[in-house]
Amino acid sequence: MNFVFAPEPQISVPVVGTDAHFPVRRVYCVGRNYAAHAREMGFDPDREPPFFFCKPNNSIVVVTPGTVGQIAYPPGTNDFQHEIELVVAIGKGGSDISVENANEHVFGYAVGLDMTRRDLQLKLRDKGRPWELGKAFDQSAPIAPIYAASAVGHLSKGEISLTVDGTDRQRSDIEKLIWSVPEVINHLSQYFTLEPGDLIYTGTPEGVGKVERGQTMVGAISGLGELHVRVI
């Protein structure tokens, strides 16, 4: 097959403890999935149906253990913010997946960041417009290697945290997700056919805030290691 230009290489995330890589297909994100974060963003955290947005594959920045990843401070913003998140890697496709069967579709879990141009996001939100300029930009989804569920089990609780230059910013527990991982998969699969290679960023707890050039973020989730990222 001839292409008019060379296609981009397949983006993939290493799988911990193996030489295998998880090929990324689509990146889904859940909005306002912790009650305290919903409140800090000015919303009532009542349990309404979850909502979703997407990021492009080139938002993925893979950061291997023992290294510090680098992401560029993006143009067009004066309010670049961190959001630490549990990431779910889908290994088995399906649609209309039941809550009871959802874990069968999970390959594994990882630590991720949903970086946000908050000023742009809020302007777009207030005008009722899509969030792409605020959310779906290059290098906006750093991720650590994936831990297979066969090795770590299916996560329903565990500390999630983020520091900036050693100072606590975000600290909570994934058991505080408004919509659990199986419930998120159930809802999302009613609107999209999930496929192997899909990643789901499941939402962030309270404490989101600005980062500046030269600062280093360290995100962590119990049992999934750490993610080190510097803004340049």
Side-chain angles (χ1 to χ4, degrees):
M1 181 182 295
N2 292 322
F3 295 99
V4 296
F5 52 83
E8 290 289 324
Q10 172 67 57
I11 294 173
S12 64
V13 183
V15 178
V16 174
T18 76
D19 60 0
H21 281 66
F22 181 91
V24 177
R25 176 180 174 266
R26 299 191 71 174
V27 182
Y28 298 97
C29 302
V30 186
R32 295 197 298 269
N33 202 19
Y34 287 80
H37 174 58
R39 291 189 190 98
E40 76 177 352
M41 296 301 293
F43 291 92
D44 189 326
D46 282 349
R47 200 168 184 261
E48 60 183 6
F51 68 93
F52 303 91
F53 57 93
C54 292
K55 289 177 180 274
N57 281 5
N58 70 353
S59 66
I60 294 292
V61 177
V62 177
V63 183
T64 56
T67 69
V68 179
Q70 294 188 341
I71 59 172
Y73 195 101
T77 184
N78 293 308
D79 192 3
F80 188 38
Q81 294 199 3
H82 56 76
E83 297 188 9
I84 184 67
E85 309 206 359
L86 171 68
V87 183
V88 176
I90 297 296
K92 175 184 174 183
S95 58
D96 292 319
I97 299 167
S98 69
V99 172
E100 294 75 19
N101 295 330
N103 282 342
E104 298 175 9
H105 295 258
V106 176
F107 172 79
Y109 303 91
V111 182
L113 282 168
D114 168 16
M115 301 303 297
T116 303
R117 293 191 276 211
R118 188 73 69 200
D119 44 1
L120 295 185
Q121 181 205 13
L122 296 182
K123 288 177 183 177
L124 293 165
R125 184 195 72 186
D126 292 345
K127 293 179 179 179
R129 295 176 181 173
W131 289 4
E132 273 81 358
L133 290 179
K135 288 284 192 178
F137 52 94
D138 298 351
Q139 301 184 328
S140 62
I143 189 171
I146 294 168
Y147 284 74
S150 59
V152 299
H154 290 288
L155 305 183
S156 59
K157 61 182 179 179
E159 185 176 69
I160 179 171
S161 64
L162 182 131
T163 64
V164 177
D165 288 347
T167 300
D168 264 14
R169 291 285 189 87
Q170 296 183 265
R171 191 167 298 274
S172 187
D173 196 291
I174 58 175
E175 70 178 353
K176 295 183 179 180
L177 284 165
I178 296 172
W179 294 95
S180 68
V181 169
E183 290 171 328
V184 165
I185 291 171
N186 167 255
H187 278 277
L188 185 59
S189 69
Q190 294 176 36
Y191 298 94
F192 296 91
T193 299
L194 296 180
E195 298 288 356
D198 289 343
L199 295 176
I200 305 173
Y201 282 61
T202 58
T204 195
E206 69 275 15
V208 300
K210 294 176 67 172
V211 285
E212 306 290 352
R213 293 175 180 85
Q215 291 189 312
T216 299
M217 299 169 285
V218 179
I221 298 174
S222 295
L224 300 182
E226 295 183 342
L227 171 64
H228 296 242
V229 179
R230 180 178 296 121
V231 182
I232 60 171

